[in-house]
Amino acid sequence: MHSTLHGPIQHITSAPWLWLIPLFPLLGAIINAFFGQRLQKANQANVHFVAIGAMAASFLVAVTHFVMLVGAEGRFLYGHVWSMFRIGQLDVDFAFAMDELSGLMTLIITGIGTLIHVYSAGYMSKEPAYWRFFCYLNLFVFSMLLLVLGENFMVMFFGWEGVGLCSYLLIGFWYRDYGKATAGMKAFVVNRVGDWGFVSGLMILFWGLGGAWVAEGYTRDDSPRIAAVTAEAMPAQPSHGEQGEHEGAHAAAAAPRTLTVTVYPGADVYVQREEGEPQHIGRSPVVRHALEPGEVTVLVDVPGTIGRLETRATIGDHETALVVLGPTTSFRTLRDQLTLKVDRLANDESGAAGGTTELRDVLANKKIWGIGLLTLACLGFFIGATGKSAQIPLYTWLPDAMAGPTPVSALIHAATMVTAGVYMVARLSFLFSMSPTAMTVVTAVGAMTALFAATMGFFQYDIKKVLAYSTVSQLGFMFIGVGSGAYWVGIFHLMTHAFFKANLFLCSGSVIHGMHHVHHDEASSQDMRNMGGLQKVMPKTAMCYLLGTIAITAVPPGAAGFWSKDEILWKVFTSETIWGGPIWYVLGLCAAACTSFYMWRSWYMTFSGEPSETIKAKVHESPASMTVVLQILAALSIIGGLIGAAPVFHHLLHVAPPLEQWLFGPTMAFSRATFPEHSPIALELGLMALSIALAAGSWLLARSLYANNANPARLAAIKARHAGVWRVLHNKYYVDEIYQATIVNGVRKLRIVLADFDKYAVDGFVNGAGVFGKTASKIVGLVDQHGVDGLVNGVADGTLQAGRKLRGLQTGRIQNYVYGIVGGVAILAFLQYLVK
Amino acid sequence: MQELRPILDIGLVHYLTIAAVLFGFGLLTVMTRRNAVGMLLGVELILNAAGLNFVAFSHYVGGRIEGQIFTVFIIILAASEAAIALAIVLQLYRHTRNIVLDQLAQLKG
């Protein structure tokens, strides 16, 4: 049967130092955790030197590995650290992997993370718990790197939970403020709901894989299994014209007559021919051994409880590789396994037709409770994503998360952590694309969130709240992208968003930093009504905020957001995989128009017009450590979009954009999502023009209403005329209140019911058992007291009484004894006489 | 040889009778005397009665000299017993000024 399996196998390049990337932030966190207070007392700069140094080191290692990755065969760096546990089929390694997707994410995280650390050194300089802040920040980066570099679900989940923890710690950083502490708790609890989905999805998937893949289908089998597979070339990227002919050539070369073993890292691999001795050919995961053609037995000696596995292999003109069959937590082996193809022979007896099936088709046909297993698993994962990435219905924690320090909002709640859900969907593209239902759900939720959150941003006065709703909305766009099957576009928007939203948040931080000189309480210093005219006093910040606004509102043609957002809208419009593409397109288009309105509103309210006298006197530009970072990020927000400017590359240069080429392997190569081969260019340009027109209209509207704070009377009139709408939007559709009234109160009510249940049912049962035990023991006690003890005491008492009676015999008078002796002799003599 | 003996020829029965009488006197002395020395005299009588029996049986029944040897031992034993017992009585007297055994029952349990 082994000869019938074939498929593309991920080749790996060993990268034994990959773990250094997350190690440095961890070390930084540990140093600041244990010595931070002392370091800070000596000199505050010590603390941020440690933290920024750790980040810079991590960034450098990441860049080194990224360069390695560009030249690596198979574009997959693999660093095995240790085997965590191996139980039955469950093989979990603490291992890191860097492919094109996680490489890009790593660069974003460490790069932007370093910038934000530098910015924080300025922003937080007056903070007494300076060391604690940097400790948490480094710990966060460590967890985030675990999340993206984790080679399997488990390491990813460690990171997933770790970033949740750090998010909680940093939102509640000023924990003496009750509101902030509860905001942290809210984020944590809401994310728990998502985590439940993630774990459920993982369990469903694991359970579904727990069987034997044979040509006939699926049977249960719980033993760990490997199989030899004929390796095929990786799918190549479809060409976009004559220059794209040689795309993917690097993946096509398969080495003949070699055996590749990358499964079960740390296992010794032996090859046995006929009756010969097993020959040791190396240790996984770097076995690449040339062999003579013919039939061989491959033995894999796995340390631990799994023991020795074996399989037959035919070494032929193609490369042979081993794959794990059955449950696996590793993304790589899961993907290898699912994209395997089984050749089915035509069966004359049953009339079954011959052909080739991909194993994931078999899995896709598996159903539980009438729903496709894959759909269910993907929806579970997506629930996890809605929690982490703040989508409907679990988005409510993100606006509250603005209680944290602003650099935290920029790093965690805009640039990196909240994109974890998008990353996960893209990472599992080979799974998600199998289930159009799940894809449609992802797109729909993304589209609805994008529009919903954008409208909520309309009438917020807190500058950070505007950006928070904007983040929720932009995350919705990313999910539209990954949901419609254009995974690379979702990741593209993730990247551009990381640039411009980090920039915008840090600008708002700079503004708040300045406004603190005027208003000392937090609410007023973040209230845009108190701002206005800041352009005059903070020119650098204003410039950067303007560039960020241009980027997010998708001003053509330079801005990063323009390329990524329009590509998302184009892809969802044309997607052939999901249901109702144009509907989601319209929602997304409206959301984009709304984005333009609220972002320009925030710009005009904050920066335009004449500053008031107090602002003029007291507010100054932020220190260089902050503005330089802003300028770098602003520049990235503008030029960062060029590497994915799809229409330019497709229609003018006739190649795929560099980013699409780069991300093709991990996201698109095994995706089943399809898009039309040739779409009319007029349609694409028309839609683009439409979105530009809408965005421009929104901009003009915002300008007429808010520019220079020129006509407050008109604003007040409009507000009065639409008071109902205004109130609903300002209060965010009362979603928090609805949750409070339904779920939170429901849980509280349930708590009372459960308390009663506990009190009467559980306690009743427990108390009943107690009473029963008490009664039974009383009976046993009585038996013991009167029966057993009576016997024992009776013996003792009897002996005592007898002794008391017999004591009188011993008088101490010798004569008495002699009487006894004589009497006894006399009796014996008499008896003898009688007997005779 | 048997028929040549005189009628009042002294035989085993005579010895045994005398020994029994001696034993009876001894026992009576032990049982009735309150005085420790008196009781020791009774014990001596009993021992000598036993010795007499040994010799008589040895002579008339046993044939060889085991009985005589036992008797010698008994005599030696009686002598040493009397010596030790008299020493005890003497010490008793020194401590209590009394050798009436009825009043000396301190060793009873």
Side-chain angles (χ1 to χ4, degrees):
Chain A
M1 200 197 359
H2 53 270
S3 58
T4 61
L5 288 170
H6 56 95
I9 301 299
Q10 180 71 57
H11 284 128
I12 65 169
T13 305
S14 181
W17 300 106
L18 205 52
W19 52 275
L20 282 180
I21 300 177
L23 177 77
F24 283 116
L26 179 65
L27 280 182
I30 290 173
I31 290 173
N32 268 334
F34 287 104
F35 311 110
Q37 205 160 14
R38 251 176 286 166
L39 287 176
Q40 189 182 341
K41 225 170 261 174
N43 184 1
Q44 193 163 28
N46 289 337
V47 174
H48 64 241
F49 278 145
V50 168
I52 297 172
M55 285 304 300
S58 175
F59 180 62
L60 281 181
V61 180
V63 169
T64 318
H65 277 94
F66 197 78
V67 172
M68 256 173 82
L69 179 67
V70 173
E73 181 208 15
R75 289 236 177 107
F76 194 94
L77 302 183
Y78 181 83
H80 181 248
V81 187
W82 75 80
S83 293
M84 283 197 286
F85 44 89
R86 286 178 167 145
I87 306 162
Q89 291 175 311
L90 183 63
D91 168 39
V92 182
D93 297 296
F94 195 78
F96 295 111
M98 189 193 260
D99 61 358
E100 293 99 322
L101 177 59
S102 52
L104 184 71
M105 291 293 289
T106 308
L107 284 192
I108 293 174
I109 293 159
T110 53
I112 294 185
T114 309
L115 290 177
I116 289 176
H117 273 68
V118 172
Y119 177 94
S120 303
Y123 187 83
M124 300 295 282
S125 56
K126 304 235 165 40
E127 171 61 45
Y130 197 65
W131 61 276
R132 192 161 58 89
F133 180 77
F134 277 100
C135 171
Y136 290 166
L137 218 50
N138 265 358
L139 191 64
F140 165 77
V141 174
F142 163 71
S143 310
M144 192 68 206
L145 288 170
L146 277 194
L147 198 162
V148 296
L149 286 176
E151 190 263 350
N152 52 48
F153 281 107
M154 290 294 168
V155 180
M156 186 193 206
F157 194 63
F158 289 160
W160 189 269
E161 292 301 306
V163 292
L165 169 72
C166 293
S167 164
Y168 159 78
L169 290 174
L170 283 163
I171 294 168
F173 181 69
W174 289 303
Y175 54 83
R176 286 200 182 85
D177 182 329
Y178 181 74
K180 291 175 178 169
T182 30
M185 232 169 321
K186 183 175 178 181
F188 205 75
V189 171
V190 173
N191 267 300
R192 283 285 78 65
V193 180
D195 293 343
W196 161 80
F198 186 102
V199 174
S200 308
L202 183 56
M203 284 175 177
I204 291 170
L205 180 67
F206 206 80
W207 178 79
L209 288 169
W213 297 111
V214 293
E216 295 78 35
Y218 180 91
T219 53
R220 275 216 78 79
D221 187 347
D222 291 328
S223 56
R225 272 158 301 124
I226 50 175
V229 169
T230 310
E232 288 176 350
M234 285 285 175
Q237 191 161 13
S239 61
H240 292 276
E242 61 280 342
Q243 289 180 2
E245 295 281 311
H246 306 295
E247 289 295 329
H250 68 278
R257 296 178 192 176
T258 46
L259 176 68
T260 307
V261 182
T262 58
V263 296
Y264 288 116
D268 284 307
V269 183
Y270 300 87
V271 167
Q272 189 176 23
R273 263 177 207 281
E274 308 281 314
E275 297 304 312
E277 281 293 301
Q279 177 202 355
H280 186 251
I281 60 165
R283 177 168 286 184
S284 183
V286 286
V287 176
R288 200 103 205 259
H289 196 77
L291 286 171
E292 290 297 308
E295 289 267 318
V296 293
T297 302
V298 184
L299 303 164
V300 180
D301 215 348
V302 187
T305 55
I306 290 179
R308 173 166 287 198
L309 305 173
E310 66 171 84
T311 183
R312 300 284 296 160
T314 311
I315 306 295
D317 287 338
H318 290 283
E319 181 180 6
T320 306
L322 293 192
V323 291
V324 176
L325 293 181
T328 172
T329 55
S330 157
F331 299 122
R332 173 175 60 96
T333 48
L334 179 65
R335 210 270 295 133
D336 283 351
Q337 178 184 169
L338 288 187
T339 50
L340 282 185
K341 298 178 193 74
V342 185
D343 287 334
R344 244 179 339 176
L345 300 173
N347 192 330
D348 293 333
E349 285 168 30
S350 68
T356 304
T357 326
E358 262 190 57
L359 287 186
R360 56 177 167 172
D361 289 324
V362 187
L363 190 64
N365 292 332
K366 198 169 155 56
K367 284 189 179 358
I368 37 178
W369 309 316
I371 308 170
L373 180 125
L374 268 181
T375 305
L376 216 52
C378 288
L379 287 179
F381 287 126
F382 182 61
I383 290 173
T386 58
K388 200 59 75 193
S389 294
Q391 296 296 294
I392 290 173
L394 299 179
Y395 70 90
T396 52
W397 67 270
L398 187 58
D400 286 23
M402 295 303 126
T406 308
V408 170
S409 308
L411 178 62
I412 301 183
H413 304 121
T416 54
M417 182 190 90
V418 290
T419 60
V422 183
Y423 167 76
M424 181 180 67
V425 177
R427 165 67 60 224
L428 298 175
S429 56
F430 55 95
L431 271 187
F432 270 87
S433 64
M434 289 300 294
S435 167
T437 317
M439 298 279 282
T440 307
V441 170
V442 174
T443 313
V445 169
M448 288 191 283
T449 310
L451 182 58
F452 195 58
T455 55
M456 280 190 275
F458 276 180
F459 301 119
Q460 302 300 319
Y461 290 119
D462 185 324
I463 186 168
K464 282 182 76 181
K465 280 277 161 73
V466 174
L467 295 176
Y469 284 107
S470 163
T471 304
V472 176
S473 169
Q474 297 297 313
L475 289 166
F477 274 106
M478 294 174 210
F479 277 110
I480 300 176
V482 292
S484 56
Y487 298 97
W488 80 269
V489 186
I491 298 296
F492 179 33
H493 195 59
L494 186 161
M495 185 189 82
T496 58
H497 176 260
F499 295 148
F500 62 66
K501 191 51 70 65
N503 174 29
L504 287 170
F505 260 116
L506 294 183
C507 285
S508 80
S510 173
V511 167
I512 295 164
H513 195 65
M515 288 301 286
H516 259 295
H517 298 293
V518 184
H519 297 280
H520 298 291
D521 69 306
E522 191 164 283
S524 320
S525 65
Q526 298 185 5
D527 194 326
M528 291 193 292
R529 284 169 296 191
N530 296 329
M531 300 174 187
L534 286 177
Q535 194 173 13
K536 298 270 161 51
V537 287
M538 306 179 100
K540 288 179 189 165
T541 305
M543 190 63 202
C544 296
Y545 197 91
L546 180 64
L547 291 177
T549 309
I550 285 172
I552 190 175
T553 55
V555 173
F562 172 72
W563 299 116
S564 52
K565 194 188 284 181
D566 264 301
E567 189 62 18
I568 284 175
L569 292 177
W570 171 242
K571 287 292 184 191
V572 71
F573 188 77
T574 55
S575 174
E576 289 171 337
T577 317
I578 56 166
W579 176 87
I583 301 174
W584 317 125
Y585 166 78
V586 171
L587 290 183
L589 193 66
C590 294
C594 296
T595 308
S596 177
F597 177 76
Y598 68 74
M599 280 314 296
W600 285 112
R601 170 180 174 269
S602 79
W603 156 258
Y604 284 121
M605 284 184 82
T606 310
F607 292 103
S608 71
E610 274 301 311
S612 66
E613 288 306 314
T614 40
I615 286 180
K616 215 182 253 176
K618 289 185 179 169
V619 179
H620 306 288
E621 184 59 275
S622 299
S625 68
M626 288 161 71
T627 51
V628 169
V629 171
L630 292 181
Q631 283 158 346
I632 296 172
L633 284 171
L636 283 174
S637 329
I638 295 302
I639 59 169
L642 291 179
I643 58 169
V648 177
F649 282 96
H650 283 164
H651 299 302
L652 296 180
L653 304 174
H654 300 287
V655 290
L659 191 69
E660 184 179 354
Q661 292 179 23
W662 176 253
L663 288 176
F664 179 79
T667 62
M668 306 304 289
F670 298 99
S671 166
R672 287 281 181 85
T674 52
F675 298 94
E677 290 261 324
H678 298 287
S679 320
I681 186 166
L683 183 63
E684 191 173 354
L685 290 179
L687 292 179
M688 197 183 281
L690 182 62
S691 78
I692 293 170
L694 278 175
S698 301
W699 166 55
L700 289 172
L701 181 64
R703 200 176 86 143
S704 73
L705 288 175
Y706 296 100
N708 305 326
N709 297 323
N711 36 14
R714 191 174 154 216
L715 273 181
I718 296 172
K719 187 170 152 185
R721 212 177 320 138
H722 304 287
V725 178
W726 187 88
R727 216 175 303 123
V728 167
L729 288 181
H730 182 70
N731 288 309
K732 307 150 243 173
Y733 297 97
Y734 297 100
V735 169
D736 272 319
E737 284 75 8
I738 293 169
Y739 278 0
Q740 182 71 30
T742 53
I743 296 172
V744 176
N745 275 349
V747 170
R748 285 187 177 158
K749 290 270 159 55
L750 187 67
R751 182 201 64 176
I752 294 168
V753 173
L754 287 178
D756 282 348
F757 177 75
D758 187 46
K759 200 162 153 191
Y760 297 114
V762 179
D763 283 10
F765 178 73
V766 172
N767 290 343
V771 168
F772 172 75
K774 222 161 115 183
T775 317
S777 63
K778 208 170 261 172
I779 294 167
V780 171
L782 284 174
V783 170
D784 191 43
Q785 204 176 349
H786 295 105
V788 180
D789 283 11
L791 199 69
V792 173
N793 289 341
V795 170
D797 281 349
T799 313
L800 217 60
Q801 292 296 330
R804 206 167 281 149
K805 293 268 150 60
L806 289 172
R807 201 161 60 185
L809 284 180
Q810 193 181 7
T811 57
R813 289 178 186 156
I814 294 171
Q815 267 92 9
N816 288 0
Y817 304 158
V818 177
Y819 299 151
I821 295 168
V822 173
V825 171
I827 288 166
L828 284 177
F830 180 64
L831 282 178
Q832 195 185 20
Y833 172 74
L834 282 186
V835 171
K836 262 189 180 164
Chain B
M1 288 290 283
Q2 199 77 20
E3 55 267 28
L4 289 179
R5 282 181 194 160
I7 294 167
L8 275 176
D9 195 12
I10 295 172
L12 180 61
V13 179
H14 301 92
Y15 287 104
L16 291 186
T17 310
I18 287 177
V21 171
L22 260 179
F23 182 83
F25 286 154
L27 196 60
L28 203 65
T29 313
V30 170
M31 282 163 71
T32 54
R33 286 282 180 162
R34 309 272 147 169
N35 190 314
V37 179
M39 273 180 68
L40 282 174
L41 293 175
V43 171
E44 290 302 317
L45 286 181
I46 289 169
L47 285 170
N48 282 324
L52 193 58
N53 266 8
F54 268 117
V55 177
F57 278 116
S58 176
H59 182 79
Y60 289 103
V61 181
R64 294 178 64 178
I65 60 164
E66 290 92 342
Q68 281 90 331
I69 290 171
F70 263 106
T71 308
V72 171
F73 271 110
I74 289 172
I75 289 166
I76 294 165
L77 210 72
S80 31
E81 177 249 310
I84 290 167
L86 280 173
I88 290 171
V89 170
L90 213 59
Q91 289 297 320
L92 211 57
Y93 179 75
R94 274 198 191 157
H95 278 278
T96 61
R97 295 275 151 198
N98 181 20
I99 50 168
V100 177
L101 288 175
D102 282 0
Q103 294 159 16
L104 290 170
Q106 289 95 330
L107 285 178
K108 76 166 180 176

